[in-house]
Amino acid sequence: MRRSILSSLRAHLGRLVAACLAIVLGVGFGTLAMAVHASATHGIDETIGKQNAGVDAVVASEQASISPADLAAVKKLPQAASVIADTTAYLQVAWAGQVRASSLGIDARYDTSRIAGPTTTSGRLPEAKNELALPAGLADKYKVALGQQLTVTSYNDKRWTVTVVGLLDDSSSVGGANAVATAETVHTFEPQGYIDYIKAAAAPGVSQAALTAAIGGVVNKDLKIYTGDAWLEREVQSLTHGIDVLGGVFGMFAVIALFVACLVIANTFTIVIAQRTREMALLRCVGASRRQVFSSVLAEASVVGLVASGIGVVFGVALSAIALTLARTFDWGLPPIDLHLDLTSIFVPLLLGTIATIAAAVVPARRATRVAPLAALRPEAAPVAKSRAGVVRLVFGFLLLAGGGALLALGAQSNQVIAGVAGGLSSFLGILAIGSLLVPALVRLLGALPARSGGVPARIAVANAVRNPRRTAATTSALLIGVTLISLTCVGIASVRKTFDVTMDKEYPVDVTLKVYDEKMPATAARQLADIKGITQVVPVRTATVKSGTETLEITGIDQATAGSVIHSPTLVNQLQPGTALLDRNTMSMLEVQDGSTVTIVSGKEKLTLKVLQAKGLEPITVTQTDLQKLAPNAEVKGYWLASDPKADGPKVIDELEQSLPTAKSLSVSGGLAERSFYTKVFDVLLLVAVGLLGVSVLIALVGVGNTLSLSVLERTRENALLRAMGLTRRQLRGMLAVESLLMALVAAGLGIVLGLIYGWTGTAALMGAQVGDGGIRYAVPGRLLLTIALVAAVAGLLASVLPARRAAKVAPAGALATE
């Protein structure tokens, strides 16, 4: 049997390429997920370990502040060989070429003989007062050289001049790195400096547990104390939790790709076994038992699975190396991560790919043993569409569909994500179970138009597409999974984004608010702001100081005609009417007024009574410019409300705004633009990654479509030859197979898009309903994306028919009729 297996593999190698491709893609992305996760985890472990080398105990200010007395008490402990305080002062620094200062954290230098500390790439660490070492990345950004002097300012406007004596190595820092100065300098900057952590190294012979216990006996009982190992674990988990989630997402996509690959593998081995019907019959005739035939098919699957999985692992490792190299070009606040492979990331995908291949070949292998030797020498009869097992499957499918639909509705209405997920899985399994009934019906419905207008070849194509309902359903199921998941992802992200936009409009109805204090706004301010790339609207607002009862407040007035161009909330725009004041919650509480009541505002001799409406995200009191002029006719323009392009780079626009209006001494910039821009980028990246990864499953599914057509060509060799003999041209034969493939692809695409809409909407409701309330959820239909998915599926279906059609058209009518 060993020789028979090897010869069979050589003889059918071309047909097995399709199965190998499916396995390579599925295993490759599984390896990618595990290798990237292992590399990221290992890289962060190393980075955190280097940063905390020598630390045996840590005192953290999580529930209480660390006092100087706590620090002094720990330093007196005989169990501690070295004790350092992680102290930071926060100041403003004026960079060359920048209009306004920006914040800079400065850490106090400590003794690094036992506990790891910062190192320099050039220059030295500070040793004298008013010396500073800057992170190398920050120095490069602002073009700061060694020996250059900087001016730093404290919160109470005290100024110092410091000299840059070194550039810190921040290549492995997690997030932004701080500058470093001597402890004396930091104490001068901030005498009441906040102690973030106390880190201690144990004396010789003292364990981490003993040192931690000793520290616990002398410091505030509300302080949290960690052993060195526990602290490392805490720091690593705080960073790797997101990586674990991302790894899980990638792994889920890999499992999906591998599941779709199993469907393709099963179809591939069905084709191979159909081609080898005579061969297997002869083996049975010369003495091979059913068990030997079954074992030979599984042995072939094992070899194919092992070889293809090995190639997939190599493919996945190569993708991982490329992905990590590209990741270094983006500033994600993580240290550079090198490729790190462990046994799990290599052997688990290899094992899963091999097992999946063998499992997918079990049903075709069992089918190969069911035909008696002499009966196998005759052509196989067409499969029976109806059977007792088929009826049971349909009943079970309808039950799953009904139960899943109920769970989906429950999850959407009660905002239960688990119920929604269970309902989605159950209903989708129900769709797959009734596929042999549903898919042929949809194919007939969709094929009615080409059957009427396409002539005899088109009618034959429709009939061929539904001739074997179970096989057609299995083929479209592979493509259906991919299209459903892509559509679900697109619809879900579009709906979440639309819901997020509505929520942001409530939280931050104005993209950016900009104002000055105790000075006049420059005369050319509006033009300067409008010239900033990404700003689309600039609306001036006037302010005045008023009184309400005993409270002194600042009131803001905006032109009612232009308010709608910068306020995103239509509700607030409609409420902003003469005689109405929009108050935030804190102001309403301070004035002890309720929504819908009235408030009397006094400015000099003028008095105005306004209806109170609660508004979130605006100034403490916002009124129309008409009402403001009644109270303060000479109110000046003290600020601007700005609207931005949705595609604008929020952080960059904010940076430019903060450095705008150079003649203004103080400039306040606030609003939700930066946050909105950040989440927009996150949504874009998620959509790109999800569609890219799920596209792999679609690619594998299309290989399955091509395989099914190949099997159809094989089974219909005599039929196609007879059609050719009756006058069907090669072009018509190719067109007939193209229509058959196109119908299956369009049915899968159409059904997948419908399911994607349902799952995407219900998933959005289950996921976000609790956060925003039922009235805040917005359902989106990304029409262009869904249309693109349908077009891609249609084109891919046509492409999948090319090779089988060429193979069918190459056989001469007489030669084909002479086969078998």
Side-chain angles (χ1 to χ4, degrees), residues 16 21 94 177 181 229 239 317 323 376 459 471 486 491 565 573 647 659 676 713 767 769 809:
L16 293 174
L21 176 61
D229 293 338
L239 291 169
V317 170
R459 289 197 293 272
R471 184 186 300 156
I486 291 179
V491 172
S565 64
V573 174
K647 298 180 180 179
Q659 298 301 321
R676 186 191 296 266
V713 168
L767 185 64

Side-chain angles (χ1 to χ4, degrees), residues 496-527:
V496 170
R497 174 181 289 183
K498 191 172 182 179
T499 302
F500 172 78
D501 286 340
V502 172
T503 304
M504 284 294 293
D505 290 344
K506 292 180 179 179
E507 295 288 333
Y508 302 99
V510 180
D511 286 339
V512 184
T513 60
L514 181 147
K515 56 185 175 182
V516 295
Y517 301 95
D518 301 326
E519 60 179 312
K520 289 186 177 182
M521 184 68 73
T524 60
R527 181 175 56 80

Side-chain angles (χ1 to χ4, degrees), residues 315-337:
F315 174 63
V317 170
L319 284 179
S320 303
I322 294 172
L324 292 175
T325 301
L326 293 176
R328 296 189 189 102
T329 63
F330 298 96
D331 183 15
W332 289 344
L334 293 175
I337 297 173

Side-chain angles (χ1 to χ4, degrees), residues 258-278:
L258 202 58
F259 176 72
V260 177
C262 287
L263 298 178
V264 177
I265 294 164
N267 277 346
T268 299
F269 275 95
T270 299
I271 294 171
V272 173
I273 289 171
Q275 287 181 318
R276 295 168 54 195
T277 301
R278 289 178 179 275

Side-chain angles (χ1 to χ4, degrees), residues 240-316:
T240 57
H241 177 68
I243 293 174
D244 291 339
V245 173
L246 187 61
V249 172
F250 273 56
M252 179 188 69
F253 288 139
V255 170
I256 292 169
L258 202 58
F259 176 72
V260 177
C262 287
L263 298 178
V264 177
I265 294 164
N267 277 346
T268 299
F269 275 95
T270 299
I271 294 171
V272 173
I273 289 171
Q275 287 181 318
R276 295 168 54 195
T277 301
R278 289 178 179 275
E279 173 189 332
M280 290 184 175
L282 289 173
L283 287 174
R284 293 292 312 282
C285 287
V286 297
S289 65
R290 291 189 174 187
R291 182 177 180 180
Q292 287 177 313
V293 172
F294 181 79
S295 299
S296 68
V297 175
L298 292 189
E300 292 177 21
S302 302
V303 174
V304 172
L306 185 61
V307 172
S309 297
I311 298 173
V313 169
V314 174
F315 174 63

Side-chain angles (χ1 to χ4, degrees), residues 422-435:
L425 290 174
S426 177
S427 60
F428 192 76
L429 289 175
I431 291 291
L432 295 181
I434 65 172

